[in-house]
Amino acid sequence: MSEQGWREFLSAEGVDDWVVLHGGATAVFRVPSLVAAAQLAEAVARVPGLDGSGALLTIADGRLTVRLSRGVFRLEEQHIALARNVSAVAQAH
């Protein structure tokens, strides 16, 4: 994909939790503990379409980081829906 993919991602509605870095679309969700981060990661892992998408979840004490792609130029339209769904799960938690 080209520059168009990440520009469309950034201009999409409902992806306010997300930034686009060199490594792709990324969001950090703050939680009260390492256990809470692991629980959120489990819930996020159940988002339809995330499994097998190449997403990276990083659990740390007090946060869960989610990266949807492995490069800024690999962002595609389906990443917008994934981002929205991940954010919805994080807000519900």
Side-chain angles (χ1 to χ4, degrees), residues 2 5-6 20-25 69-75:
S2 66
W6 64 264
V20 174
L21 305 171
H22 180 71
S69 66
R70 292 183 133 322
V72 67
F73 294 113
R74 293 185 179 181
L75 282 172

Side-chain angles (χ1 to χ4, degrees), residues 1-77:
M1 182 144 259
S2 66
E3 185 176 325
Q4 178 183 356
W6 64 264
R7 286 193 182 276
E8 287 176 2
F9 186 94
L10 286 175
S11 66
E13 300 268 332
V15 294
D16 297 335
D17 293 330
W18 298 82
V19 297
V20 174
L21 305 171
H22 180 71
T26 304
V28 176
F29 301 101
R30 301 222 178 262
V31 293
S33 67
L34 184 61
V35 169
Q39 291 169 339
L40 179 55
E42 181 180 12
V44 166
R46 296 177 192 274
V47 167
L50 195 66
D51 192 23
S53 71
L56 174 67
L57 280 63
T58 305
I59 299 168
D61 193 18
R63 70 183 174 276
L64 172 68
T65 303
V66 180
R67 186 174 71 188
L68 294 180
S69 66
R70 292 183 133 322
V72 67
F73 294 113
R74 293 185 179 181
L75 282 172
E76 298 177 3
E77 189 174 331

